Amino acid sequence: MKNVFTSESVTAGHPDKICDQISDAILDECLKQDSNSRIACETAINSGIVVVMGEIATKASINIEGIVKRTIKDIGYTSDADGFALDECEVIISIKSQSPDIAVGVNKNADTGKTIGAGDQGMMFGYACDETEEYMPLPIVLAHRITKELERVRKQELLEYLRPDGKAQVTVEYDQNNRPKRIDTIVISTQHDEAVHLEKIKEDMELYIIKQCIPEKFIDKDTKVFINPTGRFVIGGPNGDSGLTGRKIIVDTYGGMARHGGGAFSGKDYTKVDRSAAYAARYIAKNIVAAGMAAKCEIQLAYAIGISEPVSINVNTYGTGRFADDKISEIIWREFDLTPEAIITDLDLKRPIYQKTASYGHFGRNDLELTWERTDRVEALLRYLLPLGKVV
């Protein structure tokens, strides 16, 4: 029996991803003008309509309808032929102020000057592994690579018949040591102009996408490739399906290779631990793997609303750790301040950096300068390995 694992990615033009980008574009615009903005912004989209709703507390003056339309246009939707008639769409806005019951949990204490606690309860996971240079699982790395390339060739008009919506799925076979061995299956579904034939799309996907994105060493005669398996993908985007913020949480993270706490990222400011603590957990896991403390590392953090310190830290190195998992957990408690205030400061999260994370994943983004992707804690962690002898 083969040991295989599959991950998927979607293009920036996927309806759910449109909504993520709109929500984060609104967040970024607020943070540009007021770095202390509090945002919980959801977006829904369907044929001819965009609904923006949520809670915003900010000193910023923003044009939400303008942000919505600019974001959709930048993605590539301008007409019904693309999948959304931008000029004819209706934008409905329902925004209210942040709940004072939530605000009291995150606002600064007048006596200490420190944030009281997390803006919500919940658990968040971070993950890293050594199977790629991104410290990410290979299936999600390759799936993202394909969808990003689909967008690039479309926007550069190398394949003029492509439209913004699309998906990719990659199945990797692992060997007995759980290392990537080969690509078992590649699936690409890309929206296209009605006039183009499927055989042309298949030829172009092989030449422009697969050969550019998938290392040749992983392809063999038994690798299966499926291009637009239904034979047709003309009606796409919001005209083909509705979209909603936060509905691609596995695409956003580790492609299913690690567990997920259930909280989405986009449209939430840095005080929401669903986002900030998930970034911190990735930061810790990546530094642990980069330091050679484990080949794989999953970190779970859990918080209670209004409480600063996490209520628990769990570590799982899948048997690859050079210490017991509970020992690594002790090291994390010692080396990392995981109060919301410290996370915000250490990772510099008050900046308008979020829209660019809203498509093609929040982690392993070597194309972006993201603070939670730094490996600047490796040196501090290496001193724990010195008594063991060889440092890897």
Side-chain angles (χ1 to χ4, degrees):
M1 185 70 111
K2 291 187 292 188
N3 176 21
V4 296
F5 194 88
T6 302
S7 294
E8 79 155 349
S9 176
V10 299
T11 64
H14 185 281
D16 294 331
K17 277 288 138 203
I18 298 172
C19 295
D20 285 343
Q21 290 167 91
I22 290 170
S23 293
D24 272 343
I26 292 169
L27 169 62
D28 279 356
E29 191 58 39
C30 289
L31 291 177
K32 285 177 186 176
Q33 300 180 42
D34 176 9
S35 64
N36 293 315
S37 297
R38 299 288 181 264
I39 313 293
C41 179
E42 315 293 341
T43 304
I45 195 169
N46 204 345
S47 300
I49 187 170
V50 180
V51 180
V52 179
M53 53 199 161
E55 296 79 41
I56 295 180
T58 182
K59 296 177 182 177
S61 177
I62 62 171
N63 177 356
I64 291 180
E65 182 172 348
I67 294 170
V68 167
K69 292 193 172 184
R70 181 180 71 239
T71 303
I72 295 172
K73 182 179 180 181
D74 288 346
I75 291 169
Y77 289 108
T78 57
S79 68
D80 266 335
D82 299 323
F84 192 76
L86 181 60
D87 292 338
E88 300 172 13
C89 83
E90 180 182 8
V91 179
I92 299 174
I93 300 168
S94 178
I95 298 293
K96 61 181 180 178
S97 298
Q98 183 188 45
S99 163
D101 293 340
I102 295 175
V104 74
V106 298
N107 289 341
K108 287 185 179 296
N109 185 308
D111 296 325
T112 65
K114 292 187 175 181
T115 298
I116 298 171
D120 202 356
Q121 70 176 47
M123 66 281 191
M124 304 83 208
F125 288 90
Y127 179 81
C129 60
D130 66 357
E131 63 186 64
T132 64
E133 65 178 16
E134 295 90 349
Y135 292 93
M136 291 284 285
L138 184 62
I140 190 65
V141 167
L142 295 180
H144 282 323
R145 197 176 292 176
I146 288 172
T147 51
K148 286 171 68 177
E149 190 66 6
L150 281 172
E151 180 179 57
R152 188 187 74 83
V153 299
R154 173 178 62 84
K155 287 193 169 182
Q156 293 187 2
E157 299 183 345
L158 299 177
L159 298 176
E160 295 185 358
Y161 59 80
L162 290 184
R163 297 294 178 261
D165 199 356
K167 291 185 175 183
Q169 186 172 285
V170 177
T171 302
V172 174
E173 180 180 347
Y174 288 81
D175 64 20
Q176 64 272 19
N177 297 315
N178 213 28
R179 307 299 295 180
K181 178 181 177 182
R182 56 181 292 274
I183 303 298
D184 184 82
T185 308
I186 300 168
V187 182
I188 300 175
S189 296
T190 182
Q191 187 188 7
H192 58 85
D193 181 270
E194 191 166 15
V196 68
H197 295 291
L198 180 59
E199 289 307 312
K200 170 66 172 170
I201 298 173
K202 288 181 176 180
E203 291 173 6
D204 287 341
M205 291 300 103
E206 180 69 33
L207 177 64
Y208 286 90
I209 306 298
I210 294 175
K211 286 190 174 180
Q212 306 304 317
C213 298
I214 307 297
E216 190 175 346
K217 66 180 180 179
F218 289 126
I219 301 287
D220 60 31
K221 61 181 179 60
D222 295 320
T223 298
K224 299 180 288 292
V225 178
F226 300 104
I227 308 296
N228 283 9
T230 66
R232 176 183 169 89
F233 187 2
V234 173
I235 300 173
N239 286 351
D241 198 3
S242 62
L244 186 65
T245 298
R247 214 158 52 176
K248 284 290 177 282
I249 58 176
I250 300 303
V251 173
D252 285 342
T253 53
Y254 308 100
M257 188 69 80
R259 288 173 288 185
H260 197 293
F265 301 152
S266 291
K268 297 177 181 178
D269 71 76
Y270 48 79
T271 66
K272 278 69 172 178
V273 284
D274 272 345
R275 186 168 212 161
S276 55
Y279 290 171
R282 160 64 177 177
Y283 176 57
I284 297 167
K286 185 174 181 179
N287 275 271
I288 286 171
V289 174
M293 297 181 80
K296 296 181 182 179
C297 184
E298 181 187 76
I299 308 289
Q300 185 204 49
L301 305 177
Y303 289 85
I305 189 167
I307 306 299
S308 292
E309 295 281 353
V311 298
S312 69
I313 299 176
N314 178 267
V315 175
N316 184 0
T317 61
Y318 304 88
T320 69
R322 299 188 70 201
F323 298 100
D325 290 347
D326 60 348
K327 173 64 175 177
I328 296 177
S329 181
E330 291 176 10
I331 293 170
I332 292 170
W333 279 110
R334 191 178 304 129
E335 292 293 329
F336 295 88
D337 185 342
L338 290 169
T339 61
E341 176 128 1
I343 292 171
I344 292 164
T345 300
D346 292 346
L347 299 183
D348 198 12
L349 297 181
K350 290 190 174 185
R351 298 170 297 136
I353 56 174
Y354 298 103
Q355 185 184 353
K356 58 190 177 183
T357 68
S359 52
Y360 310 117
H362 293 246
F363 307 121
R365 297 296 300 273
N366 291 348
D367 59 320
L368 303 175
E369 294 184 2
L370 302 176
T371 52
W372 54 90
E373 291 297 314
R374 298 179 312 201
T375 53
D376 55 350
R377 303 300 289 275
V378 166
E379 187 174 347
L381 295 173
L382 284 176
R383 74 173 188 268
Y384 293 96
L385 293 172
L386 290 175
L388 300 181
K390 182 181 178 183
V391 175
V392 294

